[in-house]
């Protein structure tokens, strides 16, 4: 069976140094049948300039989806990117997650009708995040445990993710106690399935809007598949100034309602007020 063409949606906001590293990662993917939409929640001109520079000589098409900065509206720009996506399969990730060379290929190989894929990430400390340069990404050495350990502290969990290959990775994905949830840094789904639940709930801010989307996918009959040890990306460190207790509490209340009422559709998504 032919592997699906993929639209990769990368969420970003005013972090050009990290986004640059991420785009280097997507420039050396083993699977080439994809395009990129950068879902930009109101970054300054600096981000546009970076994207325009990459566009001049990049192996796949890049589209910059931007809206004005009116506070945290990430779910709104992600919904716009879903609608814009030209391919039937969508891979979601963030502008601070460098993909391993087989990242897109792994999602393509495991894509299956009736499922969404749930990946994880290797969270790096700030010193290693800052050390990684263009050549480290293009040579793939930044995914080697030894190289990373030489740069700073690396957790045992990350060492296992980075070193697990083939049969071991498959085994770990089966036995991991971590649930196969929808994680915006590393998950993929069919566009039609996302449209069927009306995309992201735009009321939600930081703290679980991706999980909530995944919970509605499941309520709508979509199953989950775990690929956290197969689809590897490096999560670069950053501050979270937009994280507030108020938004966390509101998001938890929305998710509790979705669970209690088995909701499949949000009235605050791609289409407003419809069901």
């Amino acid at each position: 069976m032919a592997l699906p063409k993929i639209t990769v949606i990368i969420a970003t906001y005013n972090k050009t140094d990290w986004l640059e590293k991420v785009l280097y990662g997507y420039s050396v993917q083993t699977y080439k049948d994809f395009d990129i939409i950068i879902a930009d929640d109101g970054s300054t001109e600096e981000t546009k300039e970076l994207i325009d520079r990459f566009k001049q000589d990049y192996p796949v098409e890049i589209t910059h989806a931007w809206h004005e900065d009116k506070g945290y509206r990430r779910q709104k720009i992600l919904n716009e990117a879903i609608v814009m996506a030209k391919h039937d399969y969508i891979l979601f990730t963030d502008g601070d997650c460098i993909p391993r060379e087989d990242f897109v290929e792994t999602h393509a190989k495991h894509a299956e009708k009736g499922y969404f894929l749930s990946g994880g990430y290797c969270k790096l400390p700030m010193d290693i995040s800052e050390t990684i340069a263009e050549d480290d990404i293009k040579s793939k050495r930044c995914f080697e445990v030894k190289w990373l350990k030489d740069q700073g502290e690396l957790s045992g969990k990350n060492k296992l993710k980075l070193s697990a290959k083939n049969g071991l990775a498959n085994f770990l994905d089966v036995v991991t106690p971590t649930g196969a949830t929808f994680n915006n840094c590393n998950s993929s789904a069919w566009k039609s399935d996302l449209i069927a639940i009306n995309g992201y709930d735009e009321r939600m801010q930081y703290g679980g809007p991706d999980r909530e989307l995944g919970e509605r996918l499941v309520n709508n009959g979509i199953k989950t598949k775990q690929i956290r040890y197969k689809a590897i990306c490096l999560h670069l460190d950053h501050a979270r100034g937009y994280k507030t207790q108020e938004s966390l509490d509101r998001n938890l209340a929305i998710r509790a309602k979705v669970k209690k009422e088995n909701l499949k559709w949000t009235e605050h998504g791609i289409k407003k007020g419809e069901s």
Side-chain angles (χ1 to χ4, degrees):
M1 194 178 86
L3 298 182
K5 295 181 178 181
I6 292 178
T7 291
V8 177
I9 296 179
I10 304 174
T12 194
Y13 176 69
N14 280 337
K15 203 78 181 78
T16 51
D17 47 352
W18 277 189
L19 181 60
E20 182 177 39
K21 298 181 190 200
V22 170
L23 288 173
Y24 286 137
Y26 283 99
S27 74
V28 292
Q29 290 294 298
T30 53
Y31 187 70
K32 310 294 185 188
D33 219 346
F34 71 99
D35 70 321
I36 290 172
I37 298 176
I38 296 175
D40 184 349
D41 190 17
S43 299
T44 61
E45 191 71 16
E46 188 182 0
T47 295
K48 181 182 183 299
E49 290 168 2
L50 174 78
I51 294 166
D52 287 345
R53 175 164 62 82
F54 270 93
K55 277 184 181 181
Q56 292 171 17
D57 180 28
Y58 204 73
V60 301
E61 181 184 356
I62 302 176
T63 302
H64 184 198
W66 178 91
H67 62 192
E68 187 181 350
D69 188 353
K70 293 182 178 178
Y72 188 98
R73 295 190 299 153
R74 174 177 164 144
Q75 278 56 257
K76 179 171 172 44
I77 197 67
L78 285 171
N79 277 342
E80 290 177 18
I82 289 170
V83 173
M84 289 170 63
K86 63 169 67 172
H87 297 313
D88 294 335
Y89 200 69
I90 300 177
L91 196 174
F92 293 88
T93 187
D94 288 335
D96 53 20
C97 291
I98 304 172
R100 195 168 66 185
E101 63 175 336
D102 61 345
F103 187 74
V104 179
E105 182 178 359
T106 300
H107 279 269
K109 281 182 173 178
H110 293 277
E112 184 178 346
K113 291 289 186 183
Y115 287 82
F116 74 76
L117 301 180
S118 172
Y121 58 80
C122 300
K123 190 171 184 180
L124 301 181
M126 186 61 79
D127 55 350
I128 302 181
S129 299
E130 291 174 339
T131 298
I132 295 174
E134 176 183 357
D135 190 53
D136 303 320
I137 298 164
K138 290 184 172 179
S139 69
K140 294 97 172 177
R141 64 174 160 260
C142 66
F143 291 92
E144 297 169 4
V145 170
K146 183 182 183 308
W147 185 87
L148 286 165
K149 282 171 65 180
D150 287 343
Q151 314 310 313
E153 197 68 35
L154 192 66
S155 74
K157 190 163 57 175
N158 283 341
K159 290 174 193 171
L160 183 59
K161 279 182 187 169
L162 289 162
S163 57
K165 299 286 194 299
N166 304 321
L168 178 58
N170 287 329
F171 173 75
L172 291 169
D173 278 334
V174 169
V175 301
T176 178
T178 304
T181 55
F182 201 92
N183 311 303
N184 214 82
C185 63
N186 184 355
S187 285
S188 57
W190 297 96
K191 180 175 177 176
S192 57
D193 293 337
L194 297 162
I195 297 291
I197 63 164
N198 207 22
Y200 286 88
D201 188 317
E202 294 177 12
R203 294 173 298 171
M204 300 188 77
Q205 295 191 321
Y206 180 83
D210 42 354
R211 298 286 183 93
E212 189 272 344
L213 176 136
E215 286 154 4
R216 279 186 288 112
L217 283 171
V218 170
N219 289 348
N220 206 35
I222 304 301
K223 299 188 179 78
T224 64
K225 200 189 290 189
Q226 184 75 270
I227 57 166
R228 64 189 282 109
Y229 285 92
K230 290 190 281 284
I232 300 299
C233 62
L234 301 176
H235 185 286
L236 304 171
D237 197 15
H238 58 87
R240 290 173 174 79
Y242 42 77
K243 181 178 180 179
T244 67
Q245 193 58 48
E246 181 189 2
S247 74
L248 294 174
D249 291 344
R250 183 171 60 245
N251 289 359
L252 283 172
I254 292 169
R255 288 177 64 190
K257 182 178 171 71
V258 165
K259 183 176 182 181
K260 182 181 178 185
E261 300 181 16
N262 194 37
L263 298 180
K264 305 167 179 67
W265 178 273
T266 174
E267 294 183 355
H268 307 274
I270 294 166
K271 296 179 179 178
K272 304 297 185 283
E274 300 178 29
S275 60

